[in-house]
Amino acid sequence: MFKFEERVINFCKKNYIILFVILITFLAFFVRFKMLDFASYDYNNFLKPWFDDLKSNGGLRGLATYKGDYNAPYMTILALLTYLPINSLYSIKFVSIVFDFLLAISSGLLVKELVKQNKNIYFVLTYSVLLFVPSVLLNGAYWCQCDSIYTTFIVLSLLFLVKEKYIPSFIMLGLSLSFKLQFIFILPLYLILYVMKKKFSILNFLIIPIVDIVLCLPAIIYGKPILDCLTVYFKQTATYSKSLVLNFPNIYQIFTGNVDIFYTLGEAITIFVCAFTLMYILYKKIKFNPEKILLLGIWFITMVTFLLPGMHERYLFVGEVLSILYFIVYRKNGFFMLFVNLCPMITYSIFLGGLNFEYMQLLSIGFLILLYFYTKIVFKTLVGSKINEVQNMEV
């Protein structure tokens, strides 16, 4: 062996983790690069017209009258992108791709915080897995959606939460709200921890809308009415109020009826379930640790999306990510993790690929059965009961 070869091999042995991360990062960029030319229905009918409208009205100046139903912070990003000499399809997707990597890094940091040993290896493992999760791959680089943005901030919020740094945690929640209303799916967890742990004030919750308003300031400065910024999500939900469910395997694929009645009933049931959960936790005097915090957060996201009307294919995105992180750390609930991450392969294919899937009702029934057993496992874990290997759904 030549000395040069020996030096190269020794260098690789010494820096194998860094070299592996570089390789994974390159592969993740390369796969996403191959997806850039696909223009989805959402891009052609929403994002591109919004972008063109902002550009024709002077970029940032166009924020005063923008037509999109997304919140002002995301529209501000679109307005900034109008100044770049790049096709809007690529520039919009680039933002989402950047947050794919930030999500992978944030997830790695959360896992690193939760594990006891081999922290760097777990960080690299989580970073690598998250970049190639099908829904994460398809959501931004292919579909041109931005769910990685608000999910990144939720993961960071949980990271600060388990570290008991509550002000940064609520700032991250506020950042998440500023990009997607779906942050609300995990909010019941924070309400329960407020009551049970008594380590932060009710005033911390005011940080969430304050952060949102701060991020809306560029649009407000350029002339967007404050009331429009504060009510954007009400208008957004009204847009889809005529459909009980859109390509998502929840209870409204099994039971259906008058949209207005079922919307009201579904919202009432969801609030009841959250309130009953708080009552049960108070009754059992549950003590929370990081595992229970993460587990209950995943359960709330899953249960709320299953019960609420108006859910879309992408609305379990945070739950999909967190279920993977939970499995990496605790090696539990593997079957649940696999199910919720394989479902998007079907639901995304319906919207993006025109898949004619005739068994959505059957998939929803399967989800209901799984959610029943998963709920039993979650609450046995919360109260500290022992559960056997089968009930643990371990893979």
Side-chain angles (χ1 to χ4, degrees):
M1 179 181 290
F2 294 109
K3 288 186 177 180
F4 173 75
E5 293 176 90
E6 186 176 351
R7 289 175 183 173
V8 171
I9 291 174
N10 289 336
F11 176 82
C12 292
K13 285 183 176 180
K14 186 178 180 180
N15 300 283
Y16 69 95
I17 292 180
I18 295 174
L19 293 173
F20 180 78
V21 170
I22 293 172
L23 174 63
I24 289 297
T25 302
F26 172 79
L27 290 174
F29 266 120
F30 179 74
V31 172
R32 284 165 171 78
F33 176 79
K34 301 296 286 187
M35 297 179 177
L36 290 180
D37 287 327
F38 175 77
S40 67
Y41 174 89
D42 286 344
Y43 169 76
N44 287 324
N45 290 274
F46 299 103
L47 292 167
K48 187 177 186 301
W50 298 347
F51 182 95
D52 292 341
D53 177 67
L54 286 167
K55 189 170 185 176
S56 64
N57 285 285
L60 288 170
R61 290 194 299 273
L63 290 171
T65 57
Y66 75 79
K67 298 177 181 178
D69 66 354
Y70 274 27
N71 199 12
Y74 186 74
M75 300 304 293
T76 301
I77 292 175
L78 291 188
L80 291 171
L81 294 178
T82 64
Y83 296 102
L84 300 177
I86 303 173
N87 185 312
S88 62
L89 178 63
Y90 302 146
S91 62
I92 294 171
K93 285 187 174 185
F94 179 74
V95 172
S96 297
I97 289 171
V98 168
F99 272 93
D100 283 353
F101 284 88
L102 293 177
L103 174 60
I105 293 170
S106 303
S107 299
L109 291 174
L110 178 56
V111 167
K112 187 176 179 180
E113 177 67 24
L114 295 175
V115 296
K116 304 300 183 184
Q117 299 176 338
N118 302 316
K119 290 179 177 287
N120 289 335
I121 294 297
Y122 273 98
F123 173 86
V124 173
L125 172 65
T126 306
Y127 174 81
S128 304
V129 169
L130 260 291
L131 286 175
F132 289 95
V133 171
S135 57
V136 176
L137 264 175
L138 293 172
N139 188 280
Y142 194 70
W143 198 338
C144 205
Q145 291 291 345
C146 60
D147 294 279
S148 286
I149 300 179
Y150 87 97
T151 303
T152 297
F153 294 125
I154 286 181
V155 171
L156 288 173
S157 177
L158 290 171
L159 173 62
F160 287 119
L161 184 66
V162 298
K163 295 171 98 171
E164 297 190 342
K165 296 181 178 180
Y166 297 111
I167 290 179
S169 181
F170 278 91
I171 290 173
M172 292 300 111
L173 280 184
L175 290 170
S176 184
L177 167 65
S178 69
F179 287 96
K180 286 281 185 174
L181 180 60
Q182 284 77 45
F183 103 102
I184 202 171
F185 299 156
I186 203 168
L187 192 59
L189 170 68
Y190 287 79
L191 293 171
I192 284 176
L193 293 177
Y194 161 71
V195 173
M196 297 303 298
K197 298 193 76 170
K198 301 177 183 177
K199 288 191 175 182
F200 54 87
S201 167
I202 191 69
L203 296 178
N204 285 65
F205 288 92
L206 293 177
I207 295 174
I208 300 173
I210 289 173
V211 171
D212 179 40
I213 292 172
V214 169
L215 265 69
C216 289
L217 283 178
I220 294 170
I221 290 170
Y222 277 99
K224 189 72 173 176
I226 296 178
L227 185 61
D228 286 359
C229 294
L230 296 176
T231 60
V232 62
Y233 288 133
F234 293 101
K235 296 175 182 177
Q236 190 180 91
T237 53
T239 302
Y240 303 103
S241 62
K242 301 302 180 184
S243 301
L244 283 175
V245 63
L246 295 101
N247 297 327
F248 186 78
N250 71 1
I251 196 169
Y252 302 101
Q253 299 283 1
I254 306 171
F255 306 102
T256 189
N258 181 279
V259 174
D260 292 334
I261 293 174
F262 270 67
Y263 245 90
T264 303
L265 181 62
E267 291 168 347
I269 291 174
T270 305
I271 294 172
F272 167 78
V273 168
C274 293
F276 183 84
T277 302
L278 173 58
M279 184 184 71
Y280 178 83
I281 288 173
L282 284 168
Y283 172 71
K284 290 291 186 178
K285 299 178 182 179
I286 292 171
K287 303 295 183 182
F288 281 90
N289 59 25
E291 179 183 359
K292 292 179 180 180
I293 288 172
L294 184 56
L295 186 62
L296 187 60
I298 297 168
W299 181 82
F300 266 122
I301 294 166
T302 309
M303 183 60 72
V304 169
T305 52
F306 191 80
L307 294 176
L308 270 182
M311 297 295 98
H312 293 222
E313 307 90 343
R314 298 173 286 104
Y315 283 11
L316 192 54
F317 190 85
V318 178
E320 295 157 15
V321 169
L322 294 181
S323 69
I324 293 171
L325 305 189
Y326 183 86
F327 180 74
I328 289 174
V329 175
Y330 300 107
R331 298 294 194 276
K332 299 176 184 177
N333 305 331
F335 187 77
F336 174 82
M337 180 270 293
L338 287 174
F339 185 90
V340 299
N341 280 279
L342 287 175
C343 277
M345 297 298 291
I346 297 172
T347 56
Y348 280 34
S349 295
I350 293 172
F351 187 84
L352 296 175
L355 175 68
N356 185 19
F357 186 70
E358 301 176 355
Y359 303 101
M360 185 64 77
Q361 187 178 51
L362 186 61
L363 186 64
S364 302
I365 293 172
F367 204 169
L368 175 61
I369 295 171
L370 177 68
L371 191 52
Y372 167 75
F373 287 106
Y374 182 63
T375 299
K376 290 181 64 177
I377 289 171
V378 168
F379 284 91
K380 284 182 178 180
T381 303
L382 289 176
V383 299
S385 297
K386 293 182 180 180
I387 42 183
N388 61 39
E389 189 172 323
V390 174
Q391 288 175 317
N392 240 346
M393 293 185 182
E394 292 188 288
V395 171

